[in-house]
Amino acid sequence: MTESHAEPNGLIAHLPPGLLAIVGLVMTVGLANSLFTSRQSDAPWWATLLLLLIAVALLAIATALVIDPRPNTLRHALAGVALTWLVLCGFLVVLDVLSGQFDMDFWLTLLVIGAIGLGLLGMAATSTELVARGSLAIRPVQAAGIWAAAILGASAGAVILVDIALRLVATIGNGVDTTAVPWGAVAVVILLPAVTFVVAAIGTHRAAGGTFYAQAAANRRNSVLLLVTLIGVLAATAEIIAVSLTFDPIPGLWAAGFAALVGLGVAAGANRVGASMILQSAGARPADPVKDKELLDVVGELSVAANIPPPATFIIEDGSQNAFATGRDPEHAYLAVTRGLLERMDREELQGVIGHELGHVRNLDTRYALYVAILVGLVAIVTDSFLRIIVEGWKRGAFVWKGSGKSAAGALATGLLVGLFLLIVAVLLRALAPLFSALVEAATSREREYLADATSVEFTRDPRALERALASIAADTDTLEAANRGTQHLWFRNPVKAGSDRRSGFLATHPSLTARIDRLRTLEGLGPLDADAAAATSSET
């Protein structure tokens, strides 16, 4: 189901969200009064704030649907927040029953459950999406569950942030001891990159197989999320190093903040000078207007089809078949092609490869690729440097602590334990932080490669040309001398790991060439290319 609206009929469609809006208003007023007045309450402030945020969500979404009851997304969101309230109120009723308390609050909670239940039933009855299927459809229920989890998680996250802010203000303004700052703030910094990565991965997965525009829009959103992820990995790494050295959350949070600023500065610098650094490391030189006329003509033609300015075009004097695009946006884009690719491909195959790279430019993949090239390397440098410092400390006896008299043995044991602890932390960081960065790089790059292949077909209207180009590249055994791990995700095929583009891998930056050919054959309405056919195609080219 791809419809964005249901079509409820008549005034009755406004009644269920209206009932839920009234419930949300009553809850919002009551909880706000409890939170912002001096009246004593049995519930802690953070629990009242959590419930208040969920009540505000119920009121806001229900009010929007009273005005226009058609959007399915809002209907699913309202069902989600209503289900959240049903669970919470049901939990309170169970507690009251177990404790034998049947006071006014108990009966009011039952009344709220009844009102919310009627509102949900009314929404189901007035939704043509559900009626047309004859029963409560699975997909809307799943959507409501996702919204319930999202609203509850967002409200809990807001409460945590408020708690951290209040404690920090108390620490700075009232001279409270730094240990009052919750270690939860440290945990939040560490968990942030994992959360943003999961959100981006879900967005990428949902966009896969959609329209060109939906996937390109998802790429732009996910680029922001993944930039936050990589900067978060850098901040979390610096925080862990500082905390392991001081056993104090304050230096850890300062280190995380400083590392995040450095990461943002590096990303900003990558926007300006990253492309030229990558071209220089690849040994690229500007294409010759005479010698490379066919390449420049193809770039110009396909740039018109892509509706972007022709990128500055470069040649890499290497016998392997490969290419890449880089730059922060279509107005500042660069395209580099190896000499081997120009010499071995006909014009149609060359158009397929160039269309792929221009697809990266138009879809703004090149901007995120710049961030990855710089930030992944920076994470590796930080973790590697920390490990080297700890190892050097062991070599120089920095952890052989000396004491006098009876304390000598204790000092020696303490020093060795501290040194061992720091060594374990350094080794784990050196292994896990770059590994997570590589996972971020790989998991998103594969879908972007598929999208760029599809975009190439959009430009050239010839999936067979790109299919033949992929088969030709699959048969190429030449090694790209200018390749390095920091830029491997940029290239048309992975130039670093031999055979990595012939099979799928957990950390592979590219899908297998056979998988890419199968996607193209799907666009033609053909079946997958089996291994024997793939080998035959490669030998023919």
Side-chain angles (χ1 to χ4, degrees):
M1 294 288 293
T2 58
E3 296 178 3
S4 59
H5 291 80
E7 294 295 340
N9 297 318
L11 180 62
I12 192 173
H14 297 265
L15 296 180
L19 177 60
L20 293 175
I22 293 172
V23 173
L25 177 61
V26 172
M27 287 181 169
T28 299
V29 172
L31 291 167
N33 180 67
S34 176
L35 181 65
F36 297 116
T37 63
S38 58
R39 183 174 65 86
Q40 295 294 324
S41 174
D42 294 333
W45 70 267
W46 56 265
T48 304
L49 177 59
L50 176 66
L51 296 177
L52 175 61
L53 292 173
I54 301 175
V56 169
L58 180 68
L59 173 60
I61 299 172
T63 302
L65 280 174
V66 170
I67 297 172
D68 183 1
R70 293 174 299 168
N72 271 334
T73 299
L74 283 181
R75 295 175 73 83
H76 293 154
L78 182 58
V81 71
L83 287 173
T84 302
W85 268 113
L86 278 180
V87 172
L88 292 173
C89 292
F91 179 71
L92 293 176
V93 167
V94 170
L95 289 180
D96 286 341
V97 171
L98 292 177
S99 62
Q101 295 180 2
F102 300 98
D103 53 11
M104 182 63 69
D105 288 341
F106 172 79
W107 298 109
L108 287 176
T109 304
L110 282 181
L111 179 63
V112 168
I113 290 176
I116 293 176
L118 285 175
L120 284 173
L121 290 175
M123 288 177 60
T126 57
S127 173
T128 57
E129 180 185 15
L130 304 184
V131 173
R133 298 184 183 193
S135 63
L136 190 61
I138 295 298
R139 184 182 174 191
V141 172
Q142 289 176 330
I146 292 172
W147 273 103
I151 291 170
L152 185 60
S155 301
V159 171
I160 292 173
L161 291 176
V162 169
D163 183 48
I164 292 171
L166 290 175
R167 290 176 182 263
L168 287 175
V169 168
T171 300
I172 297 171
N174 302 327
V176 179
D177 185 73
T178 56
T179 55
V181 178
W183 282 90
V186 174
V188 168
V189 174
I190 295 173
L191 292 175
L192 175 63
V195 172
T196 53
F197 172 67
V198 170
V199 173
I202 292 174
T204 298
H205 177 73
R206 293 188 64 184
T211 66
F212 294 123
Y213 300 106
Q215 293 185 67
N219 270 359
R220 294 184 181 94
R221 291 193 301 270
N222 291 341
S223 291
V224 176
L225 287 171
L226 293 168
L227 174 61
V228 172
T229 300
L230 289 173
I231 293 176
V233 171
L234 184 63
T237 301
E239 178 186 74
I240 292 172
I241 291 173
V243 169
S244 64
L245 290 172
T246 64
F247 296 96
D248 191 331
I250 289 296
L253 293 174
W254 278 111
F258 178 75
L261 289 176
V262 170
L264 289 171
V266 167
N271 255 346
R272 297 297 174 186
V273 301
S276 60
M277 292 172 60
I278 291 170
L279 289 168
Q280 185 176 4
S281 69
R285 63 165 184 80
D288 186 284
V290 177
K291 184 178 179 181
D292 306 313
K293 185 177 185 302
E294 183 180 54
L295 170 63
L296 294 174
D297 288 344
V298 168
V299 171
E301 294 167 2
L302 292 179
S303 296
V304 173
N307 194 28
I308 60 174
T313 306
F314 292 76
I315 299 293
I316 300 171
E317 297 296 341
D318 191 286
S320 65
Q321 298 185 69
N322 222 324
F324 73 84
T326 186
R328 66 179 185 267
D329 53 44
E331 287 71 32
H332 302 86
Y334 306 87
L335 174 68
V337 178
T338 62
R339 181 63 66 188
L341 187 104
L342 291 178
E343 292 177 345
R344 299 185 204 178
M345 290 194 173
D346 59 34
R347 186 183 180 91
E348 287 73 23
E349 293 170 345
L350 181 61
Q351 286 177 331
V353 174
I354 299 303
H356 172 101
E357 298 304 331
L358 293 183
H360 280 313
V361 173
R362 193 189 71 171
N363 298 335
L364 297 182
D365 295 339
T366 53
R367 175 185 297 173
Y368 171 66
L370 276 177
Y371 299 150
V372 169
I374 302 298
L375 290 173
V376 170
L378 186 58
V379 170
I381 290 172
V382 170
T383 55
D384 187 61
S385 299
F386 181 53
L387 179 59
R388 288 176 182 272
I389 290 172
I390 299 302
V391 171
E392 190 65 24
W394 273 101
K395 290 180 179 179
R396 296 179 179 273
F399 302 109
V400 181
W401 296 358
K402 296 179 181 179
S404 59
K406 296 181 179 179
S407 65
L412 178 62
T414 302
L416 293 177
L417 287 174
V418 169
L420 181 61
F421 169 74
L422 292 176
L423 181 62
I424 292 174
V425 171
V427 170
L428 289 176
L429 279 178
R430 182 64 185 88
L432 297 180
L435 179 65
F436 186 75
S437 299
L439 178 63
V440 174
E441 172 188 351
T444 56
S445 294
R446 291 192 290 270
E447 284 300 328
R448 291 167 190 254
E449 293 301 318
Y450 285 131
L451 176 58
D453 285 343
T455 306
S456 175
V457 175
E458 179 192 9
F459 296 158
T460 64
R461 305 296 181 184
D462 187 3
R464 284 289 299 165
L466 182 55
E467 183 181 332
R468 287 189 289 112
L470 287 165
S472 175
I473 289 174
D476 181 22
T477 58
D478 286 349
T479 302
L480 182 65
E481 299 297 332
N484 64 76
R485 294 186 181 275
T487 60
Q488 62 182 346
H489 61 285
L490 293 173
W491 296 84
F492 185 85
R493 70 177 294 184
N494 192 322
V496 174
K497 297 181 180 179
S500 64
D501 49 9
R502 295 185 177 88
R503 59 185 181 276
S504 298
F506 184 62
L507 294 177
T509 58
H510 292 62
S512 69
L513 293 173
T514 300
R516 292 169 69 177
I517 291 174
D518 286 344
R519 284 280 185 106
L520 293 173
R521 290 174 64 83
T522 300
L523 291 177
E524 299 176 79
L526 304 175
L529 188 69
D530 60 33
D532 295 337
T537 304
S538 299
S539 61
E540 290 173 4
T541 56

